[in-house]
Amino acid sequence: MINFEYTRANNISDAVRQIAADSSAKFIAGGTNLLDLMKEDVEQPTHLIDISHLPLTKVEENTDGGLRIGALVPNSDLAWHPLVAKRYPVLGSAILAGASAQLRNMASTGGNLMQRTRCFYFYDTVTPCNKRDPGSGCSAIKGLNRINAILGTSEACIATHPSDMCVALAVLDAKVHVTGPSGDRTIALTDFHRLPGDTPQRDTNLNPNEIITAIELPPQGFSKNYTYLKIRDRLSYAFALVSVAVGLEMDGKTIRQARFAVGGVAHKPWRDQSAEALLNGQQATPETYRRAADHLLRDAKGYGHNDFKIELARRTIVRGLTQAANGTPQSQSNKKIA
Ligand SMILES: Cc1cc2nc3c(=O)[nH]c(=O)nc-3n(C[C@H](O)[C@H](O)[C@H](O)COP(=O)(O)OP(=O)(O)OC[C@H]3O[C@@H](n4cnc5c(N)ncnc54)[C@H](O)[C@@H]3O)c2cc1C
Ligand code: SF4
């Protein structure tokens, strides 16, 4: 690890001032991703700005019935918060499906959004990787790509975004509040992460001198018919091969409104409103679910080792929709294999 300067931010404007003044600086919140990347020499910030003492640790109710979640709320506190558990259980389920209890205690809401890909070559500094070293090439395309993307890929990068929490946030139509030198702005969660294109070094649309301050959830929480289904190599402490977050509004056996997003398949949580439209107003049947899954996966492309993900994603979507419609959520605290 290289030497680095360490400072603390006293307030949000101080944090923005410090990051804008030093292009090699990075914020550190829980440190569970950034410190690993520094130890592996993947990231080399010469200045860490500790934001962990900023007053961004509250979950507050908005007047419209939605929630505002501070960027420093620990993942554990968010998952178990009574208002999240009651109104947005898909979010709690997704968070609890990730990492370990110790990591979730340290990991922050903002840091979870900003965590970087788990592509093996990104972590292996002796191999070419356009995300780590732009222009050097992509080792995964012809290499070991079992965990890599099948949707929205480019010739420069086929990495996936590893977050579970963000897949649920995509379904909930969350918004990300950020502050920078020219003031505050809001980014829809579905626009926050980018596709790799020819600039895979940029994971998000956050500008380098901006800080995430909060996540906002609208009132609709899908508290009756939801699921977060995560398929992985081990039942705990592993990233998703494929995951699906589903929120349905049901009228008997008819789907009045459907939302679903898929994780582990792309550089961002993959949500496709034209696939959701195939479910709206339809009877909740396996045939309906298959049509929506096939549509979402119409442009899916495998790279050899990860070809299996296309069929796995199809089955995961169908099973997730089935569970959500039946009101039998799959969650970390209610695991089922059937
Ligand atoms: C062994 C292991 C297993 C894991 N398994 C899973 C899993 O299954 N599912 C899953 O979703 N995650 C998993 N994680 C990832 C974990 O969720 C993330 O490391 C964590 O959420 C990052 O939060 P943090 O506060 O520690 O971020 P940090 O490490 O402090 O920061 C990460 C990045 O975010 C930036 N940042 C942090 N806060 C802000 C802010 N407010 N504004 C702007 N930038 C900011 C930092 O500059 C840095 O670039 C795992 C991690 C480990 C180590
Ligand atoms: S897929 Fe992306 S992160 Fe992985 S080696 Fe290729 S460029 Fe790097």
Side-chain angles (χ1 to χ4, degrees), residues 19 25-37 43 48-49 51 56 71-72 75 94-95 97-100 103-104 106-116 118 123 162-166 192 206 210-214 228 230 232 237-240:
I19 198 103
K26 281 244 162 203
F27 291 132
I28 181 161
T32 61
N33 191 216
L34 182 57
L35 288 181
D36 275 357
L37 291 166
E43 300 219 31
L48 290 189
I49 305 164
I51 56 171
L56 300 172
L72 289 165
N75 287 178
I95 293 172
S100 64
L103 283 160
R104 293 192 296 265
M106 286 302 293
S108 66
T109 304
N112 193 307
L113 258 66
M114 296 293 290
Q115 65 174 292
R116 308 209 70 192
R118 293 282 158 170
Y123 272 82
S163 167
D164 292 293
M165 184 185 88
C166 292
F192 186 79
L206 189 76
E210 287 178 318
I211 183 170
I212 301 168
T213 53
Y228 186 73
K230 178 174 178 179
R232 49 187 155 172
Y237 209 42
F239 289 90

Short mmCIF file of all heavy atoms in Angstrom, two decimals, residues 19 25-37 43 48-49 51 56 71-72 75 94-95 97-100 103-104 106-116 118 123 162-166 192 206 210-214 228 230 232 237-240, ligand 1:
data_model
loop_
_atom_site.label_atom_id
_atom_site.label_comp_id
_atom_site.label_asym_id
_atom_site.label_seq_id
_atom_site.Cartn_x
_atom_site.Cartn_y
_atom_site.Cartn_z
N ILE A 19 -12.50 17.47 -1.61
CA ILE A 19 -12.37 16.56 -2.76
C ILE A 19 -12.12 17.36 -4.05
O ILE A 19 -11.38 16.92 -4.93
CB ILE A 19 -13.60 15.63 -2.89
CG1 ILE A 19 -13.29 14.41 -3.77
CG2 ILE A 19 -14.82 16.32 -3.47
CD1 ILE A 19 -13.05 13.17 -3.05
N ALA A 25 -7.64 12.59 -4.34
CA ALA A 25 -8.29 12.24 -3.06
C ALA A 25 -9.49 11.34 -3.29
O ALA A 25 -10.09 11.32 -4.36
CB ALA A 25 -8.72 13.53 -2.35
N LYS A 26 -9.81 10.58 -2.24
CA LYS A 26 -11.01 9.71 -2.26
C LYS A 26 -11.70 9.84 -0.92
O LYS A 26 -11.03 9.93 0.12
CB LYS A 26 -10.60 8.25 -2.43
CG LYS A 26 -10.26 7.87 -3.84
CD LYS A 26 -11.24 6.85 -4.33
CE LYS A 26 -11.27 6.70 -5.81
NZ LYS A 26 -12.50 6.15 -6.30
N PHE A 27 -13.02 9.77 -0.94
CA PHE A 27 -13.75 9.68 0.32
C PHE A 27 -13.59 8.28 0.88
O PHE A 27 -13.54 7.29 0.12
CB PHE A 27 -15.24 9.92 0.10
CG PHE A 27 -15.59 11.32 -0.29
CD1 PHE A 27 -16.44 11.58 -1.36
CD2 PHE A 27 -15.09 12.40 0.44
CE1 PHE A 27 -16.77 12.87 -1.71
CE2 PHE A 27 -15.43 13.71 0.10
CZ PHE A 27 -16.26 13.94 -0.99
N ILE A 28 -13.54 8.17 2.21
CA ILE A 28 -13.65 6.85 2.83
C ILE A 28 -14.81 6.89 3.81
O ILE A 28 -14.94 7.82 4.61
CB ILE A 28 -12.32 6.41 3.50
CG1 ILE A 28 -12.50 5.02 4.09
CG2 ILE A 28 -11.82 7.40 4.55
CD1 ILE A 28 -11.19 4.29 4.35
N ALA A 29 -15.70 5.88 3.69
CA ALA A 29 -16.86 5.79 4.59
C ALA A 29 -16.63 4.59 5.51
O ALA A 29 -15.88 4.67 6.48
CB ALA A 29 -18.14 5.68 3.77
N GLY A 30 -17.18 3.41 5.16
CA GLY A 30 -16.91 2.21 5.96
C GLY A 30 -15.55 1.60 5.65
O GLY A 30 -14.98 0.87 6.47
N GLY A 31 -15.02 1.86 4.48
CA GLY A 31 -13.70 1.37 4.09
C GLY A 31 -13.68 -0.08 3.64
O GLY A 31 -12.61 -0.61 3.31
N THR A 32 -14.82 -0.75 3.59
CA THR A 32 -14.81 -2.21 3.32
C THR A 32 -14.46 -2.54 1.87
O THR A 32 -14.03 -3.64 1.59
CB THR A 32 -16.17 -2.86 3.66
OG1 THR A 32 -17.17 -2.28 2.84
CG2 THR A 32 -16.53 -2.70 5.12
N ASN A 33 -14.62 -1.62 0.96
CA ASN A 33 -14.19 -1.86 -0.42
C ASN A 33 -12.91 -1.09 -0.72
O ASN A 33 -11.95 -1.64 -1.26
CB ASN A 33 -15.31 -1.47 -1.39
CG ASN A 33 -15.03 -1.95 -2.81
OD1 ASN A 33 -15.36 -1.28 -3.76
ND2 ASN A 33 -14.42 -3.12 -2.97
N LEU A 34 -12.88 0.17 -0.34
CA LEU A 34 -11.74 1.01 -0.71
C LEU A 34 -10.43 0.48 -0.13
O LEU A 34 -9.41 0.42 -0.83
CB LEU A 34 -11.99 2.46 -0.26
CG LEU A 34 -10.89 3.44 -0.64
CD1 LEU A 34 -10.65 3.46 -2.14
CD2 LEU A 34 -11.22 4.84 -0.14
N LEU A 35 -10.42 0.08 1.13
CA LEU A 35 -9.15 -0.38 1.73
C LEU A 35 -8.66 -1.65 1.07
O LEU A 35 -7.46 -1.83 0.84
CB LEU A 35 -9.31 -0.56 3.25
CG LEU A 35 -9.41 0.74 4.04
CD1 LEU A 35 -9.53 0.48 5.53
CD2 LEU A 35 -8.22 1.66 3.78
N ASP A 36 -9.59 -2.56 0.72
CA ASP A 36 -9.18 -3.78 -0.01
C ASP A 36 -8.51 -3.40 -1.32
O ASP A 36 -7.47 -3.94 -1.70
CB ASP A 36 -10.41 -4.64 -0.34
CG ASP A 36 -10.78 -5.56 0.82
OD1 ASP A 36 -10.06 -5.56 1.83
OD2 ASP A 36 -11.80 -6.27 0.70
N LEU A 37 -9.13 -2.46 -2.04
CA LEU A 37 -8.59 -2.06 -3.35
C LEU A 37 -7.22 -1.40 -3.20
O LEU A 37 -6.34 -1.56 -4.04
CB LEU A 37 -9.57 -1.14 -4.07
CG LEU A 37 -10.86 -1.84 -4.53
CD1 LEU A 37 -11.92 -0.83 -4.92
CD2 LEU A 37 -10.57 -2.78 -5.70
N GLU A 43 -6.32 0.64 -6.42
CA GLU A 43 -6.54 2.08 -6.28
C GLU A 43 -5.40 2.65 -5.45
O GLU A 43 -4.96 2.03 -4.48
CB GLU A 43 -7.88 2.36 -5.59
CG GLU A 43 -9.05 1.78 -6.38
CD GLU A 43 -10.28 2.67 -6.38
OE1 GLU A 43 -10.14 3.91 -6.32
OE2 GLU A 43 -11.39 2.11 -6.46
N LEU A 48 -6.94 10.40 1.72
CA LEU A 48 -8.26 9.87 2.08
C LEU A 48 -9.00 10.92 2.91
O LEU A 48 -8.46 11.42 3.90
CB LEU A 48 -8.14 8.59 2.91
CG LEU A 48 -7.64 7.34 2.20
CD1 LEU A 48 -7.79 6.13 3.13
CD2 LEU A 48 -8.40 7.09 0.91
N ILE A 49 -10.22 11.22 2.49
CA ILE A 49 -11.05 12.17 3.25
C ILE A 49 -12.11 11.35 3.99
O ILE A 49 -13.00 10.76 3.37
CB ILE A 49 -11.73 13.18 2.29
CG1 ILE A 49 -10.68 13.88 1.42
CG2 ILE A 49 -12.56 14.18 3.07
CD1 ILE A 49 -11.26 14.59 0.21
N ILE A 51 -15.28 10.64 5.71
CA ILE A 51 -16.59 11.29 5.81
C ILE A 51 -17.48 10.61 6.85
O ILE A 51 -18.65 10.93 6.98
CB ILE A 51 -17.32 11.31 4.44
CG1 ILE A 51 -17.46 9.89 3.86
CG2 ILE A 51 -16.61 12.24 3.46
CD1 ILE A 51 -18.36 9.83 2.63
N LEU A 56 -24.99 12.18 8.35
CA LEU A 56 -25.81 11.60 7.26
C LEU A 56 -26.23 10.19 7.67
O LEU A 56 -26.18 9.25 6.88
CB LEU A 56 -24.99 11.55 5.95
CG LEU A 56 -24.48 12.89 5.41
CD1 LEU A 56 -23.54 12.68 4.23
CD2 LEU A 56 -25.67 13.76 4.98
N ALA A 71 -26.60 8.96 3.51
CA ALA A 71 -25.58 8.17 2.81
C ALA A 71 -24.70 7.36 3.76
O ALA A 71 -24.03 6.43 3.33
CB ALA A 71 -24.71 9.10 1.96
N LEU A 72 -24.69 7.75 5.06
CA LEU A 72 -23.82 7.01 5.99
C LEU A 72 -24.59 6.04 6.88
O LEU A 72 -24.04 5.50 7.84
CB LEU A 72 -23.02 8.01 6.83
CG LEU A 72 -21.94 8.73 6.01
CD1 LEU A 72 -21.43 9.95 6.74
CD2 LEU A 72 -20.80 7.78 5.67
N ASN A 75 -25.39 -0.45 6.34
CA ASN A 75 -26.27 -1.40 5.65
C ASN A 75 -27.12 -2.20 6.63
O ASN A 75 -28.29 -2.45 6.38
CB ASN A 75 -25.44 -2.35 4.77
CG ASN A 75 -24.89 -1.69 3.51
OD1 ASN A 75 -24.18 -2.31 2.74
ND2 ASN A 75 -25.19 -0.42 3.30
N ALA A 94 -32.68 -7.66 0.16
CA ALA A 94 -31.51 -7.57 -0.74
C ALA A 94 -30.25 -7.28 0.07
O ALA A 94 -29.21 -7.91 -0.13
CB ALA A 94 -31.75 -6.48 -1.79
N ILE A 95 -30.34 -6.34 1.01
CA ILE A 95 -29.14 -5.99 1.79
C ILE A 95 -28.68 -7.21 2.60
O ILE A 95 -27.49 -7.53 2.65
CB ILE A 95 -29.42 -4.80 2.73
CG1 ILE A 95 -29.67 -3.54 1.89
CG2 ILE A 95 -28.27 -4.57 3.69
CD1 ILE A 95 -30.16 -2.34 2.69
N ALA A 97 -28.96 -10.22 1.97
CA ALA A 97 -28.40 -11.29 1.12
C ALA A 97 -26.94 -11.01 0.77
O ALA A 97 -26.27 -11.84 0.16
CB ALA A 97 -29.23 -11.41 -0.16
N GLY A 98 -26.43 -9.82 1.15
CA GLY A 98 -25.07 -9.45 0.76
C GLY A 98 -24.08 -9.54 1.89
O GLY A 98 -24.42 -9.37 3.06
N ALA A 99 -22.84 -9.82 1.55
CA ALA A 99 -21.69 -9.77 2.47
C ALA A 99 -21.92 -10.60 3.74
O ALA A 99 -22.52 -11.67 3.70
CB ALA A 99 -21.37 -8.31 2.80
N SER A 100 -21.42 -10.11 4.88
CA SER A 100 -21.57 -10.80 6.17
C SER A 100 -22.06 -9.78 7.17
O SER A 100 -22.01 -8.57 6.92
CB SER A 100 -20.21 -11.34 6.63
OG SER A 100 -19.35 -10.23 6.87
N LEU A 103 -19.45 -7.12 7.89
CA LEU A 103 -19.28 -6.15 6.79
C LEU A 103 -20.47 -5.22 6.69
O LEU A 103 -20.32 -4.01 6.50
CB LEU A 103 -19.12 -6.91 5.46
CG LEU A 103 -17.74 -7.52 5.23
CD1 LEU A 103 -17.81 -8.63 4.20
CD2 LEU A 103 -16.75 -6.46 4.79
N ARG A 104 -21.67 -5.76 6.87
CA ARG A 104 -22.86 -4.91 6.76
C ARG A 104 -22.90 -3.86 7.87
O ARG A 104 -23.45 -2.79 7.70
CB ARG A 104 -24.14 -5.77 6.79
CG ARG A 104 -24.29 -6.66 5.57
CD ARG A 104 -25.68 -7.27 5.49
NE ARG A 104 -25.99 -8.16 6.57
CZ ARG A 104 -25.85 -9.49 6.56
NH1 ARG A 104 -25.39 -10.09 5.47
NH2 ARG A 104 -26.17 -10.23 7.60
N MET A 106 -20.31 -2.26 8.94
CA MET A 106 -19.38 -1.19 8.54
C MET A 106 -19.80 -0.49 7.26
O MET A 106 -19.60 0.71 7.10
CB MET A 106 -17.97 -1.79 8.30
CG MET A 106 -17.20 -2.17 9.53
SD MET A 106 -16.96 -0.80 10.66
CE MET A 106 -15.88 0.28 9.73
N ALA A 107 -20.39 -1.25 6.33
CA ALA A 107 -20.66 -0.73 4.98
C ALA A 107 -21.75 0.33 5.02
O ALA A 107 -22.77 0.17 5.68
CB ALA A 107 -21.09 -1.89 4.08
N SER A 108 -21.54 1.40 4.27
CA SER A 108 -22.51 2.51 4.27
C SER A 108 -23.39 2.45 3.01
O SER A 108 -23.03 1.81 2.01
CB SER A 108 -21.77 3.84 4.30
OG SER A 108 -21.04 4.01 3.10
N THR A 109 -24.50 3.18 3.06
CA THR A 109 -25.42 3.22 1.92
C THR A 109 -24.72 3.81 0.69
O THR A 109 -24.77 3.24 -0.41
CB THR A 109 -26.65 4.08 2.29
OG1 THR A 109 -27.23 3.54 3.48
CG2 THR A 109 -27.67 4.10 1.20
N GLY A 110 -24.03 4.95 0.88
CA GLY A 110 -23.34 5.59 -0.25
C GLY A 110 -22.22 4.70 -0.78
O GLY A 110 -22.04 4.56 -2.00
N GLY A 111 -21.46 4.09 0.13
CA GLY A 111 -20.35 3.22 -0.29
C GLY A 111 -20.83 2.01 -1.05
O GLY A 111 -20.18 1.53 -1.98
N ASN A 112 -22.01 1.48 -0.69
CA ASN A 112 -22.55 0.32 -1.39
C ASN A 112 -22.82 0.67 -2.86
O ASN A 112 -22.54 -0.12 -3.76
CB ASN A 112 -23.83 -0.17 -0.69
CG ASN A 112 -24.24 -1.54 -1.16
OD1 ASN A 112 -24.38 -1.76 -2.36
ND2 ASN A 112 -24.45 -2.47 -0.25
N LEU A 113 -23.34 1.86 -3.10
CA LEU A 113 -23.58 2.30 -4.48
C LEU A 113 -22.28 2.41 -5.27
O LEU A 113 -22.26 2.20 -6.48
CB LEU A 113 -24.22 3.69 -4.46
CG LEU A 113 -25.71 3.82 -4.70
CD1 LEU A 113 -26.49 3.18 -3.58
CD2 LEU A 113 -26.10 5.30 -4.78
N MET A 114 -21.22 2.80 -4.56
CA MET A 114 -19.95 3.11 -5.24
C MET A 114 -18.99 1.93 -5.27
O MET A 114 -17.88 2.05 -5.79
CB MET A 114 -19.27 4.29 -4.53
CG MET A 114 -20.05 5.57 -4.60
SD MET A 114 -20.15 6.24 -6.26
CE MET A 114 -18.47 6.76 -6.51
N GLN A 115 -19.36 0.78 -4.70
CA GLN A 115 -18.43 -0.36 -4.69
C GLN A 115 -18.11 -0.77 -6.12
O GLN A 115 -18.91 -0.61 -7.03
CB GLN A 115 -19.01 -1.53 -3.91
CG GLN A 115 -20.26 -2.14 -4.52
CD GLN A 115 -20.68 -3.40 -3.75
OE1 GLN A 115 -19.98 -4.39 -3.79
NE2 GLN A 115 -21.82 -3.33 -3.09
N ARG A 116 -16.90 -1.31 -6.29
CA ARG A 116 -16.42 -1.58 -7.65
C ARG A 116 -16.57 -3.06 -8.00
O ARG A 116 -16.85 -3.90 -7.15
CB ARG A 116 -14.97 -1.11 -7.78
CG ARG A 116 -14.84 0.35 -7.33
CD ARG A 116 -13.75 1.08 -8.00
NE ARG A 116 -14.03 1.33 -9.41
CZ ARG A 116 -13.13 1.78 -10.28
NH1 ARG A 116 -11.89 2.01 -9.87
NH2 ARG A 116 -13.45 1.98 -11.55
N ARG A 118 -16.27 -6.99 -9.10
CA ARG A 118 -15.48 -8.11 -8.57
C ARG A 118 -14.83 -8.91 -9.69
O ARG A 118 -14.34 -10.02 -9.45
CB ARG A 118 -16.38 -9.01 -7.73
CG ARG A 118 -16.86 -8.32 -6.47
CD ARG A 118 -15.79 -8.30 -5.42
NE ARG A 118 -16.02 -7.25 -4.43
CZ ARG A 118 -15.34 -7.13 -3.31
NH1 ARG A 118 -14.40 -8.00 -3.01
NH2 ARG A 118 -15.57 -6.14 -2.48
N TYR A 123 -8.93 -7.02 -10.12
CA TYR A 123 -8.15 -7.13 -8.88
C TYR A 123 -6.72 -7.62 -9.12
O TYR A 123 -5.88 -7.53 -8.24
CB TYR A 123 -8.84 -8.10 -7.91
CG TYR A 123 -9.85 -7.43 -7.02
CD1 TYR A 123 -11.14 -7.17 -7.47
CD2 TYR A 123 -9.52 -7.04 -5.72
CE1 TYR A 123 -12.07 -6.53 -6.66
CE2 TYR A 123 -10.45 -6.41 -4.90
CZ TYR A 123 -11.72 -6.16 -5.38
OH TYR A 123 -12.63 -5.52 -4.58
N PRO A 162 -21.59 -5.36 -8.59
CA PRO A 162 -21.82 -6.45 -7.63
C PRO A 162 -22.86 -6.20 -6.56
O PRO A 162 -23.16 -7.10 -5.78
CB PRO A 162 -20.44 -6.60 -6.98
CG PRO A 162 -19.85 -5.23 -7.02
CD PRO A 162 -20.40 -4.56 -8.24
N SER A 163 -23.43 -5.01 -6.48
CA SER A 163 -24.30 -4.70 -5.33
C SER A 163 -25.63 -5.44 -5.37
O SER A 163 -26.29 -5.51 -6.42
CB SER A 163 -24.57 -3.20 -5.28
OG SER A 163 -25.61 -2.92 -4.38
N ASP A 164 -26.06 -5.96 -4.23
CA ASP A 164 -27.43 -6.48 -4.07
C ASP A 164 -28.39 -5.33 -3.79
O ASP A 164 -29.48 -5.26 -4.36
CB ASP A 164 -27.48 -7.47 -2.90
CG ASP A 164 -26.72 -8.74 -3.21
OD1 ASP A 164 -27.16 -9.48 -4.09
OD2 ASP A 164 -25.67 -8.99 -2.58
N MET A 165 -27.99 -4.43 -2.89
CA MET A 165 -28.87 -3.34 -2.48
C MET A 165 -29.37 -2.53 -3.67
O MET A 165 -30.54 -2.15 -3.75
CB MET A 165 -28.09 -2.42 -1.51
CG MET A 165 -28.91 -1.30 -0.93
SD MET A 165 -27.89 -0.19 0.08
CE MET A 165 -27.34 0.96 -1.17
N CYS A 166 -28.47 -2.29 -4.64
CA CYS A 166 -28.83 -1.42 -5.77
C CYS A 166 -29.89 -2.07 -6.66
O CYS A 166 -30.65 -1.36 -7.34
CB CYS A 166 -27.59 -1.08 -6.60
SG CYS A 166 -26.46 -0.03 -5.69
N PHE A 192 -27.83 6.08 -12.37
CA PHE A 192 -26.63 6.37 -11.56
C PHE A 192 -25.41 5.57 -12.06
O PHE A 192 -24.34 6.11 -12.26
CB PHE A 192 -26.90 6.06 -10.09
CG PHE A 192 -25.77 6.47 -9.18
CD1 PHE A 192 -25.61 7.80 -8.81
CD2 PHE A 192 -24.85 5.54 -8.71
CE1 PHE A 192 -24.55 8.20 -7.99
CE2 PHE A 192 -23.79 5.92 -7.90
CZ PHE A 192 -23.66 7.25 -7.54
N LEU A 206 -21.71 9.93 -11.13
CA LEU A 206 -21.31 10.88 -10.09
C LEU A 206 -20.04 11.58 -10.57
O LEU A 206 -19.11 10.91 -11.06
CB LEU A 206 -21.01 10.12 -8.79
CG LEU A 206 -20.77 10.97 -7.55
CD1 LEU A 206 -22.10 11.53 -7.02
CD2 LEU A 206 -20.08 10.17 -6.45
N GLU A 210 -18.11 15.27 -6.41
CA GLU A 210 -19.42 15.26 -5.76
C GLU A 210 -19.45 14.20 -4.66
O GLU A 210 -18.75 13.19 -4.73
CB GLU A 210 -20.52 14.93 -6.77
CG GLU A 210 -20.81 16.10 -7.73
CD GLU A 210 -21.88 15.74 -8.76
OE1 GLU A 210 -21.86 14.61 -9.30
OE2 GLU A 210 -22.72 16.60 -9.05
N ILE A 211 -20.34 14.43 -3.69
CA ILE A 211 -20.56 13.46 -2.61
C ILE A 211 -22.02 13.02 -2.63
O ILE A 211 -22.91 13.83 -2.90
CB ILE A 211 -20.18 14.07 -1.23
CG1 ILE A 211 -20.33 13.04 -0.12
CG2 ILE A 211 -21.02 15.31 -0.90
CD1 ILE A 211 -19.75 13.49 1.22
N ILE A 212 -22.26 11.73 -2.37
CA ILE A 212 -23.64 11.25 -2.22
C ILE A 212 -24.07 11.64 -0.81
O ILE A 212 -23.36 11.35 0.17
CB ILE A 212 -23.70 9.72 -2.36
CG1 ILE A 212 -23.18 9.27 -3.72
CG2 ILE A 212 -25.13 9.21 -2.14
CD1 ILE A 212 -22.95 7.76 -3.82
N THR A 213 -25.23 12.27 -0.71
CA THR A 213 -25.70 12.67 0.63
C THR A 213 -26.86 11.78 1.11
O THR A 213 -27.00 11.53 2.30
CB THR A 213 -26.15 14.14 0.65
OG1 THR A 213 -27.11 14.32 -0.41
CG2 THR A 213 -24.97 15.08 0.47
N ALA A 214 -27.71 11.33 0.18
CA ALA A 214 -28.89 10.55 0.61
C ALA A 214 -29.48 9.76 -0.55
O ALA A 214 -29.19 10.03 -1.73
CB ALA A 214 -29.96 11.50 1.16
N TYR A 228 -36.59 -10.92 -3.17
CA TYR A 228 -35.22 -10.74 -3.65
C TYR A 228 -34.61 -12.13 -3.68
O TYR A 228 -34.41 -12.76 -2.64
CB TYR A 228 -34.38 -9.81 -2.76
CG TYR A 228 -33.02 -9.57 -3.39
CD1 TYR A 228 -32.91 -8.76 -4.51
CD2 TYR A 228 -31.88 -10.20 -2.92
CE1 TYR A 228 -31.69 -8.57 -5.15
CE2 TYR A 228 -30.65 -10.02 -3.55
CZ TYR A 228 -30.57 -9.19 -4.65
OH TYR A 228 -29.36 -9.01 -5.29
N LYS A 230 -31.50 -14.46 -4.80
CA LYS A 230 -30.07 -14.35 -5.17
C LYS A 230 -29.51 -15.76 -5.40
O LYS A 230 -29.55 -16.58 -4.48
CB LYS A 230 -29.32 -13.64 -4.04
CG LYS A 230 -27.83 -13.51 -4.25
CD LYS A 230 -27.19 -12.66 -3.15
CE LYS A 230 -25.69 -12.57 -3.33
NZ LYS A 230 -25.04 -11.75 -2.31
N ARG A 232 -26.22 -17.97 -6.12
CA ARG A 232 -24.77 -17.82 -5.96
C ARG A 232 -24.15 -19.17 -5.66
O ARG A 232 -24.86 -20.15 -5.41
CB ARG A 232 -24.48 -16.84 -4.84
CG ARG A 232 -25.29 -17.15 -3.59
CD ARG A 232 -25.17 -16.11 -2.53
NE ARG A 232 -26.32 -16.09 -1.65
CZ ARG A 232 -26.39 -15.37 -0.55
NH1 ARG A 232 -25.40 -14.60 -0.21
NH2 ARG A 232 -27.46 -15.40 0.20
N TYR A 237 -22.20 -15.14 2.00
CA TYR A 237 -20.87 -14.60 1.84
C TYR A 237 -20.35 -14.79 0.41
O TYR A 237 -19.18 -15.10 0.20
CB TYR A 237 -19.94 -15.30 2.84
CG TYR A 237 -18.77 -14.47 3.30
CD1 TYR A 237 -18.92 -13.13 3.61
CD2 TYR A 237 -17.51 -15.04 3.43
CE1 TYR A 237 -17.84 -12.38 4.02
CE2 TYR A 237 -16.42 -14.29 3.85
CZ TYR A 237 -16.60 -12.96 4.15
OH TYR A 237 -15.54 -12.22 4.55
N ALA A 238 -21.23 -14.68 -0.57
CA ALA A 238 -20.79 -14.75 -1.97
C ALA A 238 -21.61 -13.76 -2.79
O ALA A 238 -22.77 -13.48 -2.47
CB ALA A 238 -20.99 -16.17 -2.52
N PHE A 239 -20.98 -13.23 -3.84
CA PHE A 239 -21.68 -12.29 -4.72
C PHE A 239 -22.64 -13.07 -5.62
O PHE A 239 -22.46 -14.26 -5.86
CB PHE A 239 -20.66 -11.51 -5.55
CG PHE A 239 -19.89 -10.52 -4.71
CD1 PHE A 239 -18.71 -10.89 -4.09
CD2 PHE A 239 -20.37 -9.24 -4.52
CE1 PHE A 239 -18.01 -9.99 -3.29
CE2 PHE A 239 -19.69 -8.34 -3.72
CZ PHE A 239 -18.51 -8.71 -3.10
N ALA A 240 -23.64 -12.35 -6.16
CA ALA A 240 -24.66 -13.02 -6.98
C ALA A 240 -24.08 -13.44 -8.33
O ALA A 240 -23.35 -12.69 -8.97
CB ALA A 240 -25.82 -12.05 -7.22
C1 LIG B 1 -15.78 -10.13 1.54
C2 LIG B 1 -16.83 -9.19 1.03
C3 LIG B 1 -18.04 -9.69 0.59
C4 LIG B 1 -19.02 -8.81 0.11
N1 LIG B 1 -20.21 -9.33 -0.36
C5 LIG B 1 -21.15 -8.48 -0.87
C6 LIG B 1 -22.35 -8.96 -1.42
O1 LIG B 1 -22.61 -10.16 -1.44
N2 LIG B 1 -23.24 -8.06 -1.91
C7 LIG B 1 -22.99 -6.72 -1.90
O2 LIG B 1 -23.83 -5.95 -2.36
N3 LIG B 1 -21.84 -6.23 -1.41
C8 LIG B 1 -20.93 -7.07 -0.90
N4 LIG B 1 -19.75 -6.58 -0.42
C9 LIG B 1 -19.43 -5.18 -0.65
C10 LIG B 1 -19.85 -4.23 0.45
O3 LIG B 1 -21.26 -4.14 0.44
C11 LIG B 1 -19.22 -2.89 0.10
O4 LIG B 1 -17.83 -3.01 0.32
C12 LIG B 1 -19.75 -1.75 0.94
O5 LIG B 1 -21.13 -1.58 0.71
C13 LIG B 1 -19.02 -0.46 0.63
O6 LIG B 1 -19.40 0.51 1.59
P1 LIG B 1 -18.30 1.27 2.45
O7 LIG B 1 -19.02 2.30 3.25
O8 LIG B 1 -17.44 0.33 3.20
O9 LIG B 1 -17.49 1.97 1.26
P2 LIG B 1 -15.95 2.41 1.21
O10 LIG B 1 -15.08 1.23 1.05
O11 LIG B 1 -15.64 3.37 2.30
O12 LIG B 1 -15.99 3.24 -0.15
C14 LIG B 1 -16.24 2.61 -1.37
C15 LIG B 1 -16.21 3.68 -2.46
O13 LIG B 1 -17.30 4.57 -2.30
C16 LIG B 1 -16.85 5.91 -2.22
N5 LIG B 1 -17.79 6.56 -1.32
C17 LIG B 1 -18.19 6.10 -0.10
N6 LIG B 1 -19.15 6.90 0.40
C18 LIG B 1 -19.37 7.87 -0.52
C19 LIG B 1 -20.25 8.99 -0.59
N7 LIG B 1 -21.12 9.27 0.39
N8 LIG B 1 -20.22 9.77 -1.70
C20 LIG B 1 -19.34 9.50 -2.72
N9 LIG B 1 -18.50 8.45 -2.70
C21 LIG B 1 -18.51 7.66 -1.62
C22 LIG B 1 -15.42 5.81 -1.72
O14 LIG B 1 -14.65 6.93 -2.12
C23 LIG B 1 -14.96 4.54 -2.42
O15 LIG B 1 -14.56 4.83 -3.73
C24 LIG B 1 -18.77 -7.42 0.09
C25 LIG B 1 -17.54 -6.91 0.57
C26 LIG B 1 -16.58 -7.78 1.03
C27 LIG B 1 -15.28 -7.21 1.51
#
